Amino acid sequence: MADKTLNEIRSTFLKYFEKNDHKIVESSNLVPNNDPTLMFANSGMVQFKNVFTGLEKRDYKTATTSQKCVRAGGKHNDLENVGYTPRHHTFFEMLGNFSFGDYFKERAIELAWNLITKDFGLDKNRLYFTVFNEDEEALKLWKKITGFGEDRIIKISTSDNFWSMGETGPCGPCSEIFFDHGDHLKGGLPGTKDQDGDRYIEIWNLVFMQFEQISKDKRINLPKPSVDTGMGLERITALLQGTHDNYKTDHFEKLIKSISDAVKTKPNDKNISSFRVIADHLRASSFLIAEGVLPSNEGRGYVLRRIMRRGMRHSHLLGSKKPIFFNIFKTLMEEMTGNYPELKRAEALIKETLKMEEEKFLVLLDRGMKILNEEITKIDKVLPGDIAFKLYDTYGFPLDLTEDILKNKSLKIDNKKFNELMKQSRELAKKNWKGSGDSAVDDIWFGIKDKLGPTEFLGYETNQAEGVVQTLLKNNKEVKSLKANDEGMIIVNQTPFYGESGGQVGDIGEIVTSDFKFKVSDVQKKLGDLFVHYGKVTSGEIKINQNVELKVDIERRDNIRAYHSATHLLHESLRRVLGTHVTQKGSLVEADRLRFDFSHMKPITPDEINKIEDFVNSMVETKSQVKTRLMTPKEAVDNGALALFGEKYGDEVRVLSMGSEKDRYFSTELCGGTHVRNTGDIGKFKIISQSAIAAGVRRVEALRDKQLQEYLNKKEKLSDIESEKTEKIIKDLSQKKNPQRSF
């Protein structure tokens, strides 16, 4: 397969498993939605974590994916090695096949063997395999399927060949497949002291989840053992294209050619590390921005900034004095947008962010390098920690960037002193990653969802409906009944109440029978489509299986949907006035106001605000019908729908189109919220404030119709009061300066 491209190799892998009864599942987002402990998806199994633990069920038992991954922090951190080895990356794709209680070791080994020897055509005589030393079953199966002896199947006793999710939970032995790149390279077989060389390279890891770790000392068999495998796409591509260097594959050679043209320097043995860093970091940065992550000084944004600045520092090393990342992005997009259309959708945002961040960093870099170079002349082998901290705190130099610069000069940093100063400052130390900030999904909802299935939502068409109580909860536990004054939760088979999502708050109202009343104070969606009504019993008692009437607060609902529709018009207006790099970063749609966060690097001018308001109000004045269509996500995007970056959509999506122009709609977006039927129902619209809430993210707040009129009346009244006060002050001052004379 030496003539196959990276894209073709990815396709070969996925189609092979599809042919063998696996469902091809799209890559999940880099920002995990099911694991608040992870900063980024770092393996193929992340999106299936709850499936493996039994909390979640899918409509398939076998799957295959090519998963986007980033490893740039925590346990799996490859950042320091990127550029200095031929196979480390911050961003990479993990090919994998998965069995959720279906096939196990024999089938997994058989599938792997047939793929690499037949479809990929690897030389059998250059393959080696490892098994966990206690896994005699895997050893026998490898012997049986391959015909090899124990000289080619190596027992490993370390944790390298035993995988676990954590201190407790699913775990099991691994089998790794290695390829011998030849004796012209240094390195020994796995399990030897020279195993980290470049000769014998791991290409595939098969994980056999057959145990559950109950405690430190107790491990039991899983009733349905599973399989999780991982193969680095970049690594297997290098092998199939006849090299051990990932950066010499067709994909990276195109990127490196583009970098070379931009910096007007050709790669050589001395500068190749810089080319590798730029190519890798461009990939990581672009994909993270495409999901809505923007450079900042905390959390994911801080990691992104570190990656970007490290890459940009290497473009400076190659002689570039101006931003290049936004230009070479074109090559990346051309290479990968076929499999990852989000790059094309987010093109404007990615290019704008790359350009502005590099412009800012070049200024910082120039200042910081002058200080660093001056300090280097004063030291022998170690840079004082206070200098490193000053570079970090004052000039925006991440520690790893300073370390990277010193590495090339065989110098180190006094990390002890640096860490002391970091602790004292308590500035960025407190912002180290502590999770996504999202609440972990309570285990209870998986069981309830599995038992009850999804809630049917009726709220697009009605504000009132009848339903049957499926379950009741109090203090997060299921109960048989709720009585007067009890605070609890009610789940019904169908509901007109909207559950909070997409920035739109949940509905309020009441659930009633002839002798029971429950005041609904909030509605939340759990696991996507399980609607949970929160509130308090004001009279009577309710039990499971009773028929109830559900009534939404209509006035509040009408206000909310008008504000939600206004956000769609606002979003498109912002893009038309400020540029297509604008994308939604968050929103809050309430009954009396809207708040909209979006990517933009500078304050909006008064003239721009006027133009934005004019766009929105002109669409309101058309009084045009709002059109709703159901489509697949791909059909929606192909039809011009604006999807939110980083959002994961189902097989079918609602497409909202509103605002009438000559031959098109003004705004078309994917949205599951409630909306007006006619743009005229929105009423007069005005932005009342704007502010910066993070690096590259701005916020506007706006009012409409009655709330706007009340606001303007109040503002006018306050202005009149203030004018009266001012006139009185002037009068008093005038009297003091010119006191009446007494004769």
Side-chain angles (χ1 to χ4, degrees):
M1 295 190 69
D3 59 337
K4 295 283 188 180
T5 66
L6 177 141
N7 288 328
E8 289 170 334
I9 291 166
R10 181 198 298 109
S11 179
T12 298
F13 182 96
L14 295 174
K15 286 180 179 177
Y16 169 83
F17 280 102
E18 184 180 42
K19 183 176 66 179
N20 284 281
D21 302 320
H22 290 64
K23 181 179 176 63
I24 298 177
V25 179
E26 285 187 11
S27 170
S28 63
N29 294 331
L30 281 169
V31 178
N33 60 8
N34 65 344
D35 191 343
T37 67
L38 279 179
M39 187 181 293
F40 304 116
N42 57 22
S43 68
M45 68 82 60
V46 169
Q47 69 166 305
F48 302 119
K49 179 180 175 181
N50 291 325
V51 183
F52 281 123
T53 59
L55 290 172
E56 182 184 356
K57 287 183 171 60
R58 302 277 177 99
D59 60 0
Y60 48 84
K61 289 186 175 182
T62 57
T64 184
T65 66
S66 182
Q67 173 64 46
K68 299 178 291 185
C69 298
V70 166
R71 293 182 178 178
K75 179 182 175 183
H76 299 289
N77 183 9
D78 292 333
L79 186 61
E80 306 302 324
N81 294 317
V82 174
Y84 300 104
T85 77
R87 58 182 183 276
H88 278 98
H89 303 284
T90 52
F91 173 91
F92 64 96
E93 291 181 72
M94 184 74 84
L95 303 170
N97 61 288
F98 307 88
S99 165
F100 311 113
D102 189 71
Y103 62 82
F104 198 43
K105 291 180 186 178
E106 184 167 10
R107 181 62 173 156
I109 292 171
E110 185 181 53
L111 286 166
W113 174 252
N114 287 337
L115 174 64
I116 60 177
T117 59
K118 295 177 182 178
D119 292 62
F120 282 166
L122 297 185
D123 183 351
K124 299 177 183 178
N125 295 316
R126 299 174 73 176
L127 293 170
Y128 290 81
F129 310 89
T130 67
V131 296
F132 186 54
N133 68 325
E134 298 175 18
D135 193 357
E136 291 295 327
E137 183 186 8
L139 178 65
K140 289 176 183 177
L141 288 168
W142 277 115
K143 286 180 178 180
K144 172 188 168 185
I145 291 168
T146 67
F148 293 150
E150 292 188 28
D151 60 324
R152 301 281 292 279
I153 306 168
I154 303 163
K155 291 184 176 181
I156 302 290
S157 61
T158 67
S159 60
D160 288 346
N161 274 63
F162 194 91
W163 178 90
S164 61
M165 191 176 286
E167 292 184 3
T168 60
C171 59
C174 308
S175 248
E176 296 175 321
I177 302 172
F178 286 77
F179 184 84
D180 180 4
H181 280 278
D183 57 10
H184 64 289
L185 297 169
K186 293 182 180 179
L189 286 165
T192 67
K193 63 177 183 177
D194 299 320
Q195 66 178 2
D196 293 330
D198 291 330
R199 179 174 175 178
Y200 300 93
I201 300 299
E202 178 203 336
I203 59 171
W204 208 349
N205 186 16
L206 316 181
V207 179
F208 307 123
M209 281 187 246
Q210 66 185 95
F211 306 115
E212 182 172 4
Q213 197 74 38
I214 304 298
S215 64
K216 185 179 179 181
D217 304 313
K218 187 177 181 182
R219 182 186 295 164
I220 62 172
N221 290 320
L222 286 171
K224 292 185 177 179
S226 298
V227 174
D228 157 30
T229 83
M231 171 190 283
L233 173 61
E234 295 79 5
R235 193 173 288 192
I236 191 65
T237 299
L239 194 162
L240 293 174
Q241 293 183 0
T243 178
H244 77 288
D245 188 339
N246 295 3
Y247 295 92
K248 289 183 178 178
T249 58
D250 69 298
H251 172 75
F252 277 102
E253 283 187 333
K254 289 175 185 176
L255 291 177
I256 287 171
K257 170 68 166 58
S258 183
I259 297 164
S260 178
D261 292 343
V263 299
K264 297 178 174 57
T265 301
K266 293 190 180 296
N268 55 51
D269 290 343
K270 291 184 178 179
N271 64 20
I272 189 61
S273 292
S274 292
F275 282 93
R276 289 171 173 171
V277 170
I278 296 168
D280 174 271
H281 289 13
L282 172 70
R283 290 181 0 134
S285 301
S286 300
F287 273 94
L288 288 171
I289 296 167
E291 289 198 13
V293 180
L294 293 177
S296 69
N297 289 327
E298 58 184 2
R300 294 187 179 105
Y302 178 57
V303 175
L304 171 60
R305 176 163 278 168
R306 288 174 63 200
I307 293 170
M308 293 175 75
R309 289 185 171 182
R310 187 169 185 265
M312 292 163 181
R313 140 78 177 148
H314 279 272
S315 73
H316 187 268
L317 275 180
L318 292 174
S320 176
K321 304 299 181 187
K322 58 183 182 180
I324 66 163
F325 270 56
F326 77 104
N327 280 326
I328 58 177
F329 168 72
K330 181 183 177 184
T331 304
L332 176 68
M333 186 176 69
E334 290 171 349
E335 269 289 285
M336 301 192 74
T337 196
N339 290 281
Y340 299 106
E342 61 263 38
L343 291 179
K344 180 62 180 175
R345 293 201 299 267
E347 179 183 3
L349 177 65
I350 294 169
K351 290 175 73 172
E352 179 79 7
T353 305
L354 290 172
K355 187 173 183 289
M356 293 198 69
E357 186 68 14
E358 194 163 7
E359 285 174 343
K360 288 192 293 185
F361 181 61
L362 286 172
V363 174
L364 293 172
L365 183 65
D366 185 57
R367 296 175 186 167
M369 286 301 297
K370 287 178 181 176
I371 295 172
L372 185 56
N373 287 330
E374 187 179 326
E375 293 297 330
I376 287 173
T377 63
K378 304 175 185 177
I379 64 173
D380 183 17
K381 291 184 178 180
V382 181
L383 182 76
D386 56 341
I387 302 298
F389 181 77
K390 182 180 178 182
L391 287 165
Y392 174 76
D393 195 47
T394 307
Y395 296 99
F397 264 47
L399 181 63
D400 61 324
L401 178 58
T402 305
E403 288 174 332
D404 195 48
I405 295 168
L406 296 178
K407 188 175 184 177
N408 292 324
K409 302 178 184 293
S410 300
L411 301 173
K412 295 182 178 179
I413 297 171
D414 178 1
N415 284 302
K416 185 178 179 182
K417 181 64 177 176
F418 178 88
N419 291 332
E420 286 176 4
L421 291 168
M422 279 289 292
K423 190 176 180 180
Q424 291 172 16
S425 73
R426 302 185 66 180
E427 291 186 6
L428 290 184
K430 279 191 169 184
K431 298 175 183 177
N432 286 339
W433 186 254
K434 301 296 185 185
S436 67
D438 304 322
S439 299
V441 180
D442 295 328
D443 291 355
I444 188 174
W445 301 120
F446 285 103
I448 292 174
K449 172 74 177 293
D450 189 44
K451 179 173 66 176
L452 303 179
T455 309
E456 186 178 358
F457 177 60
L458 308 174
Y460 294 132
E461 304 299 329
T462 184
N463 297 315
Q464 189 168 331
E466 293 182 352
V468 179
V469 175
Q470 291 183 301
T471 193
L472 302 163
L473 293 96
K474 183 180 177 181
N475 298 324
N476 292 320
K477 293 181 180 178
E478 288 190 88
V479 293
K480 294 180 179 180
S481 69
L482 289 174
K483 300 176 183 178
N485 297 318
D486 279 350
E487 292 185 356
M489 299 164 245
I490 298 179
I491 297 176
V492 188
N493 65 321
Q494 56 185 27
T495 182
F497 285 80
Y498 185 81
E500 181 176 339
S501 60
Q504 180 176 329
V505 296
D507 283 325
I508 65 172
E510 58 184 18
I511 298 175
V512 299
T513 68
S514 57
D515 56 0
F516 166 83
K517 184 177 287 186
F518 180 85
K519 188 176 181 181
V520 179
S521 57
D522 189 22
V523 182
Q524 295 286 325
K525 282 201 286 187
K526 302 295 184 181
L527 307 178
D529 51 13
L530 185 70
F531 287 65
V532 184
H533 306 78
Y534 292 75
K536 184 176 182 178
V537 180
T538 56
S539 63
E541 180 182 1
I542 192 70
K543 296 180 180 179
I544 296 170
N545 295 325
Q546 280 191 250
N547 293 325
V548 293
E549 193 173 0
L550 300 99
K551 302 176 181 179
V552 174
D553 182 324
I554 298 174
E555 184 179 357
R556 184 175 179 272
R557 157 74 72 85
D558 286 345
N559 278 324
I560 290 171
R561 60 186 181 186
Y563 272 113
H564 199 159
S565 297
T567 65
H568 283 230
L569 297 180
L570 171 62
H571 192 185
E572 179 61 23
S573 301
L574 287 164
R575 289 171 63 84
R576 294 196 181 193
V577 175
L578 304 180
T580 55
H581 65 277
V582 167
T583 187
Q584 182 175 337
K585 298 295 294 175
S587 67
L588 177 66
V589 179
E590 295 185 314
D592 57 358
R593 64 174 180 138
L594 72 82
R595 190 179 75 204
F596 193 81
D597 302 339
F598 59 97
S599 53
H600 191 56
M601 308 299 171
K602 53 189 178 183
I604 315 172
T605 66
D607 184 55
E608 288 170 336
I609 287 176
N610 288 336
K611 289 178 180 176
I612 293 162
E613 291 174 345
D614 287 346
F615 267 124
V616 175
N617 286 314
S618 67
M619 290 300 111
V620 172
E621 288 167 7
T622 65
K623 296 183 178 179
S624 56
Q625 293 298 307
V626 175
K627 186 173 182 179
T628 304
R629 292 165 288 174
L630 292 177
M631 298 180 180
T632 67
K634 186 177 185 306
E635 288 171 341
V637 173
D638 290 346
N639 279 275
L642 191 63
L644 298 184
F645 303 139
E647 286 290 315
K648 190 70 173 176
Y649 297 99
D651 296 332
E652 193 175 63
V653 294
R654 290 180 86 239
V655 180
L656 268 292
S657 299
M658 64 181 72
S660 179
E661 293 188 306
K662 289 181 181 178
D663 56 351
R664 54 169 288 184
Y665 291 101
F666 179 76
S667 165
T668 299
E669 290 191 34
L670 307 188
C671 183
T674 59
H675 290 271
V676 297
R677 299 186 188 280
N678 184 298
T679 58
D681 294 337
I682 295 171
K684 186 75 173 174
F685 172 92
K686 185 174 181 60
I687 294 170
I688 61 167
S689 73
Q690 67 158 314
S691 58
I693 62 167
V697 181
R698 298 201 66 79
R699 170 175 291 173
V700 295
E701 295 189 71
L703 297 174
R704 55 164 287 278
D705 202 40
K706 291 180 181 178
Q707 291 86 25
L708 174 59
Q709 193 55 56
E710 289 171 4
Y711 169 81
L712 293 174
N713 290 343
K714 192 178 290 184
K715 192 175 179 182
E716 186 178 353
K717 189 176 180 181
L718 289 170
S719 179
D720 290 342
I721 293 169
E722 194 62 36
S723 293
E724 289 176 11
K725 285 182 179 177
T726 303
E727 287 177 12
K728 187 175 184 303
I729 290 168
I730 292 170
K731 186 177 179 182
D732 290 346
L733 286 170
S734 177
Q735 287 177 345
K736 287 179 181 178
K737 287 181 181 179
N738 303 290
Q740 291 183 349
R741 294 183 181 181
S742 58
F743 296 93

